[in-house]
């Protein structure tokens, strides 16, 4: 039963190397000297003390090894547990990851040369692979079980797989990865055969997950009869990876294995000396395949993959150029994809991008699959590498979260295994015989047939490719024409855009002009407001004047006339005291007073009413007008704001789009970095050419020339294909830009229509405002004229005359005058009579006196009595006039200028001042 198991992650930190010591790069990584901890602390800032602690980064893994950790310790702690599983029948993978020169190869391979002086024993510096080899054969020998051990060694460089154990020409047989073993009469076991085996052993058939570097066994594979496993197989979706043409070698001892390892390393060495940094840029996978006897005829298959990855620093070198860049780029692809795969698995994403690089395709089962996996991250302790160290540790700690479901390997039947071995042996013997019997190129008939078949295939492919190139070429022509057309239309559009920009500018200047006129309008409104307030002030002054006139009227009409009335009353009283039978003036005076009061009130109310109505009209008109104006101004403002907003939004959109387009046209169009693509094409074509050429040279000498010519054509065709590809890509990139650009033209059109709408609105609003303003000014003018005319009317009427227009008052005055005349005549008469009476009395008195004197004289000595008629208190004529004088009313006080009277009760005439005075004198006298 399989169990989820996390990947084992170990970190190995070496001591400082010569370069780091020379550059005095401090140690910033804190690890135990040998082992015993599971954390790595790195101080990235170079601080010391507490700051160093605070700024340090801590990474947790399963095991940490320091500079003094030996190769055997590494093997015992990390490789041994995995090796035990491998022997048990599990597929296992061990990876070393880290920047260049941190000890990946040292850890994985180390010193593979055996110590000849010490009984062919392992060197102290021997790495994991040599130690596993020794451990494997030691274990197998002690177990006394049958086994078959095979080895393969591949290299992945620049996304190309290479068999490091193949001594033949490089392109003798190209390695290809397949998701599952291709059906071939040689490779695929017949289903019926497999079913028979399954039936015999009561096991269920299942497809095996094939590990990188291993050809499928030429035999049926059956699984254990476990339902659990069967379901896991179905649900885990494990991919079967098959590497076509990969050579596997039987080994029977550790020495055999190490010889193969050395052979592979020698091949690598050739490449390393040819190419700088080759080793740090390529990945290697050394695979040990073990068929170990399980019981009787049944053998279990398990594989151990030992992977030395390229330097992790190559991930960051994608910016470099030329061949190195190409290589760096390709390595990046594998390492970057590995990083993404690790991240996706650690984050438990549904999609894991295994298929995006060959490395991850090969390692698919080792990461999140049915394999037991261990990762050793190698790091440098020096400060100069701290960035890379951090990135390695990030990877390592991420990888720690990946969970695998290890499963025991498949079973194989012994006879099938033997049959496979025998077939292989026979094939080799054939090759050997051919080699011995012929000169020149030696190979078995079967191999020759296979080669011919491959060549035929290549020819067909070549023909197909040629046809494809032809059609692509015509497409390129079409596209170039299209491009020319597009460029022309682009020019046209640019001109149009410029015109549009020009019109937008014009529109903007118009908007500025309209804003100015709007401002002028506003200032005029302000002036109007000022004038209105001045008018209000004048109205107030006018009111004050009115009140003053009113009070004067009251003074004149009330106080002075009342005084006059009082005086008249006093006079009347006096008159009454003097003569009880005098004519009754009081009713006339009362009527006069009432009439005057009524007339005054009428005048007052008329004036008030007319003022009120004027003011009311004025006040009722004004706010409506101002409200209208205000609402118009607000409308204009809102329209303007909206317009500005929309225009500015649209303009910013347009300018952004134009900038993008310009940027794109300037920076991107046909300036994308296609070097890599081209280089890839050229490199692939070169390789294809080399391959074809080599094949042709070795197999058919006479065809060499024609093939070279055709290969040249191939190069040209490939160039064309790449050009097409580039143009395709450019067109693809251009398309969204073009769409955006077209949408920006729509925006411009919208902008234009918006501007038109705005200007129409503005025009309307301004016209309305203008008409409102003119109507309001007309109305104000009318109101002012009305007020003026009313005031003038009142002025002209001579308010005071109104009193004397009153017929009743005239009548009364005439009546009073008549009465006073009559009274006067009566008074004079009375006066005369009185005088006469007094005289008579005096005469009587005198006569009495005389009589009395006569009596006295007659009586002689009688005292005289007081004369009652010669009273000292009785007033003299002058005193009389004096006592009357205070009652005399000054005509000035009355101030009746130009008083109007009615003659004969009909005709109106103005009284002169003299007549007025005369009238008053008459009144008092
Ligand atoms: N732990 C170690 N102890 C002693 N020497 C070491 C250790 N690690 C590395 N070295 C030495 O450092 C040098 C570089 O190591 P190595 O070639 O293994 O690095 P690498 O990571 O494989 O580099 P590249 O990615 O370039 O292949 C070698 O000479 C190796 O012997």
């Amino acid at each position: 039963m399989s169990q989820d198991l996390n990947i084992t992650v170990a970190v190995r930190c070496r001591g400082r190397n010569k370069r780091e010591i020379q550059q005095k790069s401090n140690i910033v990584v804190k690890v135990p000297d040998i082992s015993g901890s599971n954390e790595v602390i790195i101080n990235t800032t170079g601080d010391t003390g507490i700051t160093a602690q605070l700024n340090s980064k801590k990474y947790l893994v399963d095991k940490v090894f320091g500079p003094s950790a030996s190769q055997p310790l590494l093997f015992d702690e990390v490789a041994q547990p995995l090796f035990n599983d491998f022997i048990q029948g599990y597929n296992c993978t061990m990876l070393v990851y880290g920047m260049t020169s941190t000890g990946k190869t040292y850890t994985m391979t180390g010193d593979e040369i055996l110590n000849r002086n010490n009984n062919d024993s392992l060197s102290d510096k021997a790495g994991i692979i040599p130690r596993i080899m020794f451990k494997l054969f030691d274990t197998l020998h002690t177990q006394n079980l049958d086994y078959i051990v095979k080895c393969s060694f591949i290299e992945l460089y620049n996304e190309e797989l290479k068999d490091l154990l193949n001594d033949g020409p490089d392109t003798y047989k190209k390695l290809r990865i397949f998701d599952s073993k291709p059906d071939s009469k040689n490779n695929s076991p017949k289903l019926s055969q497999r079913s028979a085996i399954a039936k015999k052993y009561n096991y269920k058939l299942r497809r095996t997950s094939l590990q990188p570097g291993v050809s499928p066994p030429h035999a049926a594979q059956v699984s254990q009869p476990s339902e659990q496993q069967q379901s896991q197989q179905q649900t885990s979706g494990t991919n079967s990876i098959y590497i076509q043409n990969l050579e596997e070698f039987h080994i029977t001892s550790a020495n055999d294995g190490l010889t193969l390892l050395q052979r592979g390393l020698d091949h690598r060495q050739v490449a390393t000396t040819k190419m700088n940094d080759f080793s740090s840029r390529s990945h290697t996978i050394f695979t040990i395949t073990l068929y170990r006897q399980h019981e009787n005829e049944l053998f279990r298959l398990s594989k151990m993959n030992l992977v030395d990855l390229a330097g992790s620093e190559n991930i960051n070198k994608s910016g470099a150029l030329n061949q190195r860049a190409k290589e760096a780029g390709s390595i990046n692809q594998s390492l970057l994809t590995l990083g993404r795969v690790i991240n996706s698995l650690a984050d438990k994403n549904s999609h894991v991008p295994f298929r995006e690089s060959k490395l991850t395709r090969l390692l698919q089962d080792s990461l999140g699959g049915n394999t037991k996996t261990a990762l050793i991250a190698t790091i440098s302790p020096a400060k100069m590498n701290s960035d890379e160290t951090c990135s390695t540790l990030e990877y390592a700690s991420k990888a720690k979260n990946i969970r695998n479901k290890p499963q025991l390997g498949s079973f194989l039947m012994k006879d099938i295994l033997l049959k496979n071995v025998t077939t292989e042996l026979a094939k080799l013997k054939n090759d050997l015989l051919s080699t011995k019997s012929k000169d020149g190129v030696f190979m078995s008939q079967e191999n020759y047939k296979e080669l011919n078949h491959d060549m035929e295939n290549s020819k067909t492919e070549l023909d197909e490719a040629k046809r494809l190139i032809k059609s692509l070429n015509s497409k390129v022509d079409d596209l170039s024409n299209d491009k020319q057309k597009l460029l022309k239309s682009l020019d046209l559009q640019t001109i149009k855009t410029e015109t549009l920009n020009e019109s937008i500018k014009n529109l903007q200047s118009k908007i500025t002009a309209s804003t100015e006129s709007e401002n002028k309008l506003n200032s005029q409104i302000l002036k109007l407001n000022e004038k209105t307030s001045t008018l209000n002030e004048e109205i107030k002054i006018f009111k004050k004047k009115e009140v003053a006139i009113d009070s004067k009227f009251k003074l004149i009409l009330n106080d002075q006339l009342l005084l006059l009335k009082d005086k008249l009353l006093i006079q009347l009283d006096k008159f009454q005291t003097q003569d009880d039978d005098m004519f009754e003036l009081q009713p006339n005076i009362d009527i006069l007073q009432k009439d005057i009061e009524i007339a005054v009130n009428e005048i007052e109310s008329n004036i008030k009413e007319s003022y009120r109505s004027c003011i009311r009209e004025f006040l009722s008109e004004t706010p409506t007008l101002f409200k209208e104006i205000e609402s118009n101004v607000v409308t204009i403002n809102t329209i303007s704001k909206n317009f500005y907003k929309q225009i500015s939004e649209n303009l910013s959109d347009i300018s952004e789009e134009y900038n993008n387009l310009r940027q794109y046209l300037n920076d991107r169009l046909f300036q994308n970095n296609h070097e890599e693509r081209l280089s890839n094409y050229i490199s692939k074509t070169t390789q294809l050419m080399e391959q074809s050429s080599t094949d042709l040279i070795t197999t058919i000498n006479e065809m060499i020339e024609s093939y070279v010519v055709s290969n040249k054509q191939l190069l040209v065709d490939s160039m064309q294909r790449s050009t097409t590809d580039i143009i395709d890509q450019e067109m693809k990139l251009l398309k969204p830009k073009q769409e955006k650009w077209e949408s920006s033209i729509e925006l411009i059109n919208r902008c234009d229509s918006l501007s038109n709408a705005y200007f129409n609105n503005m025009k309307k609003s301004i016209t309305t405002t203008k008409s409102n303003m003119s109507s309001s000014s007309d109305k104000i003018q009318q109101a002012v004229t009305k007020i003026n005319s009313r005031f003038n009317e009142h002025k002209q009427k001579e308010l005071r005359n109104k009193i004397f227009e009153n017929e009743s008052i005239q009548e009364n005055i005439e009546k009073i005058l008549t009465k006073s005349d009559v009274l006067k005549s009566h008074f004079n008469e009375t006066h005369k009579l009185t005088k006469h009476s007094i005289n008579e009395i005096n005469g009587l008195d005198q006569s009495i006196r005389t009589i009395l004197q006569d009596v006295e004289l007659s009586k002689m000595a009688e005292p005289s009595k007081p004369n009652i008629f010669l009273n000292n208190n009785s007033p003299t004529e002058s005193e009389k006039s004096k006592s009357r004088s205070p009652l005399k009313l000054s005509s000035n006080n009355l101030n009746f200028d130009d008083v109007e009277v009615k003659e004969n009760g009909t005709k109106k005439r103005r009284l002169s001042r003299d007549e007025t005075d005369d009238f008053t004198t008459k009144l008092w006298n």
Side-chain angles (χ1 to χ4, degrees):
M1 198 173 123
S2 71
Q3 224 181 357
D4 276 16
L5 203 73
N6 278 65
I7 287 182
T8 309
V9 177
V11 169
R12 186 181 201 184
C13 181
R14 60 159 168 76
R16 278 195 300 168
N17 63 18
K18 263 188 195 167
R19 196 159 148 255
E20 290 160 352
I21 293 166
Q22 269 171 6
Q23 295 200 6
K24 291 179 179 153
S25 186
N26 291 338
I27 292 176
V28 289
V29 176
K30 198 176 152 194
V31 287
D33 187 37
I34 302 173
S35 68
S37 152
N38 66 346
E39 64 175 32
V40 183
I41 297 167
I42 177 163
N43 172 11
T44 48
T45 56
D47 295 326
T48 50
I50 294 172
T51 9
Q53 275 179 12
L54 287 172
N55 291 325
S56 294
K57 288 179 182 172
K58 195 200 264 185
Y59 297 93
L60 287 177
V61 289
D62 296 310
K63 282 168 188 166
V64 177
F65 299 93
S68 302
S70 65
Q71 297 281 63
L73 180 72
L74 246 291
F75 178 79
D76 290 345
E77 293 276 320
V78 186
Q80 178 80 52
L82 220 62
F83 172 78
N84 293 340
D85 293 328
F86 170 57
I87 287 288
Q88 289 298 310
Y90 285 98
N91 293 328
C92 300
T93 299
M94 195 175 302
L95 303 128
V96 278
Y97 178 88
M99 74 173 285
T100 187
S101 306
T102 48
K104 294 187 295 293
T105 312
Y106 180 78
T107 304
M108 192 51 88
T109 314
D111 185 1
E112 80 283 4
I113 314 287
L114 295 175
N115 198 340
R116 302 280 170 208
N117 299 330
N118 192 6
N119 212 10
D120 275 355
S121 61
L122 276 170
S123 150
D124 285 346
K125 289 183 178 173
I128 287 165
I129 300 175
R131 283 174 199 278
I132 282 184
M133 281 293 169
F134 271 80
K135 190 79 189 171
L136 175 65
F137 284 98
D138 280 356
T139 316
L140 291 171
H141 287 151
T142 51
Q143 282 181 346
N144 200 22
L145 287 168
D146 280 347
Y147 61 85
I148 292 173
V149 180
K150 287 181 178 182
C151 280
S152 68
F153 198 6
I154 56 164
E155 178 188 70
L156 177 62
Y157 174 71
N158 193 20
E159 286 300 287
E160 286 293 330
L161 279 177
K162 188 181 165 187
D163 189 347
L164 287 172
L165 301 182
N166 189 345
D167 284 331
D170 280 358
T171 49
Y172 177 62
K173 274 180 184 176
K174 202 171 155 65
L175 299 189
R176 284 185 188 149
I177 304 174
F178 288 98
D179 282 340
S180 59
K181 187 165 66 74
D183 278 339
S184 107
K185 59 179 187 294
N186 292 329
N187 291 339
S188 178
K190 282 187 179 122
L191 193 66
S192 56
Q193 192 186 4
R194 295 177 66 190
S195 307
I197 298 159
K199 208 173 172 186
K200 183 178 172 188
Y201 288 92
N202 197 24
Y203 289 151
K204 285 182 183 171
L205 286 170
R206 78 171 166 92
R207 274 174 74 197
T208 314
S209 160
L210 296 172
Q211 295 304 296
V214 180
S215 294
H218 300 176
Q221 296 168 357
V222 287
S223 69
Q224 280 184 318
S226 151
E227 285 299 324
Q228 175 76 20
Q229 271 188 0
Q230 196 189 21
S231 70
Q232 275 176 356
Q233 177 67 24
Q234 282 160 358
T235 51
S236 65
T238 312
N239 272 344
S240 304
I241 296 294
Y242 162 71
I243 302 173
Q244 191 188 42
N245 293 330
L246 178 68
E247 288 286 336
E248 274 192 308
F249 290 86
H250 287 268
I251 53 166
T252 49
S253 67
N255 278 8
D256 285 354
L258 290 186
T259 312
L260 285 176
L261 178 67
Q262 277 158 16
R263 204 204 301 177
L265 291 175
D266 285 347
H267 278 143
R268 264 195 110 198
Q269 195 53 47
V270 176
T272 309
T273 42
K274 267 194 212 163
M275 220 174 288
N276 213 11
D277 285 347
F278 178 87
S279 77
S280 73
R281 290 167 186 277
S282 62
H283 315 272
T284 59
I285 302 171
F286 187 86
T287 306
I288 307 165
T289 309
L290 170 66
Y291 301 91
R292 187 170 143 268
Q293 191 181 20
H294 180 65
E295 53 182 45
N296 304 326
E297 300 288 283
L298 215 56
F299 279 70
R300 193 190 285 280
L301 165 69
S302 62
K303 295 164 192 86
M304 170 71 91
N305 298 304
L306 300 153
V307 188
D308 186 352
L309 292 168
S312 58
E313 74 286 350
N314 287 300
I315 293 172
N316 306 321
K317 285 186 181 168
S318 55
L321 292 166
N322 59 51
Q323 174 72 10
R324 282 175 68 114
K326 186 188 81 181
E327 289 159 13
S330 303
I331 289 163
N332 279 357
Q333 195 180 324
S334 275
L335 274 188
L336 279 171
T337 313
L338 178 66
R340 285 214 301 277
V341 164
I342 288 173
N343 280 334
S344 305
L345 288 168
D347 297 342
K348 295 187 172 60
N349 288 349
S350 56
H351 172 70
V352 183
F354 285 116
R355 296 194 64 83
E356 286 178 19
S357 81
K358 282 187 177 158
L359 178 71
T360 46
R361 279 183 80 187
L362 293 173
L363 294 179
Q364 182 158 352
D365 195 52
S366 306
L367 300 163
N370 299 333
T371 304
K372 289 204 171 186
T373 305
L375 172 80
I376 302 171
T378 56
I379 56 169
S380 146
K383 190 179 177 225
M384 61 191 278
N385 297 320
S386 61
D387 284 351
E388 200 52 57
T389 306
C390 282
S391 130
T392 304
L393 291 169
E394 297 276 358
Y395 262 73
S397 46
K398 260 269 159 141
K400 210 171 106 57
N401 297 321
I402 299 175
R403 289 178 82 78
N404 285 2
K405 287 187 172 100
Q407 280 181 25
L408 283 163
S410 330
F411 286 115
L412 262 97
M413 294 300 301
K414 185 181 178 180
D415 51 350
I416 292 160
L417 205 57
L418 280 174
K419 207 175 167 187
N420 280 335
V421 176
T422 322
T423 317
E424 272 181 49
L425 212 65
K427 207 174 154 193
L428 283 169
K429 266 185 184 173
N430 271 346
D431 280 354
L432 200 66
L433 276 173
S434 307
T435 312
K436 278 179 184 170
S437 60
K438 289 175 190 170
D439 289 332
V441 181
F442 308 113
M443 64 176 75
S444 66
Q445 194 67 26
E446 195 186 336
N447 278 350
Y448 179 71
K449 272 181 189 168
E450 207 176 309
L451 200 69
N452 265 339
H453 182 254
D454 278 357
M455 212 167 71
E456 282 304 318
N457 274 347
S458 300
K459 266 185 183 176
T460 326
E461 276 177 19
L462 204 69
D463 286 343
E464 276 172 0
K466 274 179 186 173
R467 272 200 297 280
L468 193 72
I469 284 161
K470 246 188 180 175
S471 74
L472 282 172
N473 270 342
S474 72
K475 274 185 189 169
V476 168
D477 288 344
D478 289 350
L479 272 170
S480 310
N481 287 339
D482 285 353
K483 190 191 144 196
Q484 286 302 327
K485 279 177 195 167
L486 261 171
L487 282 173
K488 269 182 195 166
S489 72
L490 200 70
D491 285 347
L492 270 172
Q493 295 295 358
T494 318
I495 292 162
K496 274 186 187 172
T497 314
E498 275 166 9
T499 328
L500 270 170
N501 277 339
E502 201 57 42
S503 60
I504 286 166
K505 265 184 194 167
N506 286 340
L507 278 174
Q508 274 174 339
S509 65
K510 277 180 187 171
I511 290 164
T512 323
S514 71
T515 318
E516 272 172 19
S517 62
E518 193 191 317
N519 287 339
K520 274 180 190 169
L521 213 67
N522 281 337
S523 71
Q524 275 177 0
I525 289 165
L526 279 175
K527 275 180 189 170
L528 210 68
N529 279 340
E530 273 172 23
K531 276 187 181 170
T532 316
S533 62
T534 329
L535 209 67
N536 280 335
E537 280 302 312
E538 277 176 10
I539 289 166
K540 271 181 192 169
I541 294 162
F542 206 79
K543 256 192 165 181
K544 269 183 193 170
K545 276 184 182 172
E546 184 211 338
V547 172
I549 290 164
D550 209 33
S551 63
K552 263 188 181 177
F553 266 111
K554 274 184 184 167
L555 194 77
I556 295 159
L557 296 174
N558 288 348
D559 299 352
Q560 293 199 12
L561 276 177
L562 277 174
L563 201 69
L564 185 69
K565 181 190 141 195
D566 286 346
K567 280 174 185 175
L568 274 170
L569 280 172
I570 292 163
Q571 193 62 29
L572 201 69
D573 280 347
K574 274 192 177 176
F575 213 75
Q576 274 175 340
T577 50
Q578 283 174 357
D579 188 5
D580 287 343
D581 299 327
M582 208 165 64
F583 280 80
E584 273 289 329
L585 284 173
Q586 189 57 41
N588 295 84
I589 288 163
D590 283 349
I591 291 160
L592 186 68
Q593 190 191 353
K594 266 180 195 167
D595 287 343
I596 288 165
E597 267 177 12
I598 287 161
V600 166
N601 283 341
E602 202 183 309
I603 292 158
E604 197 180 329
S605 66
N606 274 345
I607 290 167
K608 273 184 186 169
E609 191 44 50
S610 67
Y611 273 119
R612 264 185 214 130
S613 72
C614 282
I615 299 299
R616 229 179 284 133
E617 262 179 52
F618 182 74
L619 290 177
S620 67
E621 288 289 341
T622 323
T624 346
L625 288 173
F626 286 121
K627 260 181 199 164
E628 272 174 35
I629 292 162
E630 201 181 313
S631 74
N632 280 332
V633 170
V634 169
T635 322
I636 290 166
N637 263 341
T638 339
I639 291 167
S640 303
K641 270 179 196 166
N642 285 342
F643 174 75
Y644 280 128
K645 207 179 153 193
Q646 279 169 321
I647 287 278
S648 64
E649 273 171 14
N650 285 340
L651 284 176
S652 71
D653 284 356
I654 292 163
S655 72
E656 200 186 313
E657 279 316 317
Y658 272 101
N659 286 339
N660 285 346
L661 187 66
R662 200 178 298 136
Q663 180 101 23
Y664 174 75
L665 290 174
N666 289 342
D667 303 348
R668 303 291 302 157
L669 191 67
F670 286 94
Q671 282 172 32
N672 286 307
N673 188 9
H674 298 296
E675 274 179 41
E676 197 183 301
R677 197 175 280 269
L678 276 168
S679 327
N680 268 335
Y681 272 106
I682 291 165
S683 139
K684 275 181 189 164
T685 315
T686 315
Q687 276 175 13
L688 209 69
M689 221 170 88
E690 275 173 19
Q691 184 194 338
S692 301
S693 304
T694 321
D695 286 354
L696 285 166
I697 287 161
T698 48
T699 55
I700 318 155
N701 273 331
E702 64 274 10
M703 281 175 76
I704 286 172
E705 239 171 79
S706 66
Y707 261 86
V708 167
V709 172
S710 75
N711 282 333
K712 266 183 195 167
Q713 186 57 42
L714 194 70
L715 177 67
V716 172
D717 292 345
S718 176
M719 285 293 287
Q720 280 170 338
R721 209 185 316 161
S722 64
T723 318
T724 318
D725 186 39
I726 288 160
I727 288 168
D728 276 354
Q729 211 198 356
E730 282 300 338
M731 284 305 142
K732 252 185 232 165
L733 286 168
L734 187 68
K735 211 180 171 191
K737 298 276 164 195
Q738 197 188 342
E739 277 166 9
K740 276 196 173 178
W741 186 73
E742 277 165 8
S743 75
S744 72
I745 286 178
E746 260 173 45
L747 266 175
I748 292 167
N749 286 337
R750 223 188 306 158
C751 206
D752 195 30
S753 65
L754 262 174
S755 312
N756 287 338
Y758 170 75
F759 279 107
N760 288 336
N761 282 340
M762 277 298 285
K763 229 179 175 179
K764 260 188 217 166
S765 305
I766 287 166
T767 322
T768 326
T769 317
K770 258 186 187 172
S771 68
N772 280 338
M773 287 298 290
S774 65
S775 80
S776 63
S777 68
D778 283 354
K779 281 181 185 172
I780 290 166
Q781 194 60 45
Q782 277 170 19
V784 170
T785 323
K786 225 177 190 179
I787 292 163
N788 277 339
S789 67
R790 285 197 190 173
F791 278 109
N792 287 336
E793 209 179 296
H794 281 292
K795 233 181 181 181
Q796 284 164 6
K797 269 188 181 173
E798 286 300 338
L799 300 171
R800 268 167 275 161
N801 288 351
K802 214 177 178 185
I803 300 164
F804 297 102
E805 270 173 29
N806 194 315
E807 279 177 23
S808 157
I809 293 168
Q810 289 290 328
E811 214 174 276
N812 272 311
I813 287 167
E814 271 168 28
K815 274 182 186 170
I816 288 162
L817 282 175
T818 331
K819 280 184 181 178
S820 81
D821 282 347
V822 176
L823 206 62
K824 204 183 169 186
S825 70
H826 278 283
F827 184 77
N828 284 337
E829 223 172 279
T830 318
H831 192 250
K832 268 180 197 170
L833 275 171
T834 314
K835 250 186 176 179
H836 182 71
S837 302
I838 287 164
N839 282 336
E840 275 183 2
I841 289 163
N842 280 339
L844 197 65
D845 181 48
Q846 205 57 46
S847 55
I848 291 165
R849 271 171 196 276
T850 318
I851 294 162
L852 280 171
Q853 266 175 352
D854 289 346
V855 172
E856 281 292 308
L857 280 168
S858 62
K859 281 182 181 179
M860 296 299 283
E862 264 186 78
S864 66
K865 289 175 186 172
N867 188 352
I868 53 161
F869 297 103
L870 292 172
N871 194 347
N872 288 331
N873 289 336
S874 58
T876 60
E877 282 301 314
S878 62
E879 277 174 332
K880 274 180 193 169
S881 66
K882 261 185 191 173
S883 67
R884 253 185 262 131
S885 62
L887 292 171
K888 215 174 193 177
L889 192 69
S890 156
S891 61
N892 291 336
N893 285 349
L894 275 170
N895 201 18
F896 280 177
D897 298 335
D898 303 337
V899 178
E900 274 186 28
V901 290
K902 262 191 179 174
E903 273 182 348
N904 304 325
T906 52
K907 199 184 168 192
K908 261 193 214 172
R909 157 178 95 73
R910 280 182 182 277
L911 290 175
S912 70
R913 191 175 181 88
D914 291 344
E915 276 177 319
T916 318
D917 283 346
D918 188 38
F919 163 73
T920 40
T921 324
K922 269 184 184 173
L923 205 67
W924 301 127
N925 294 331

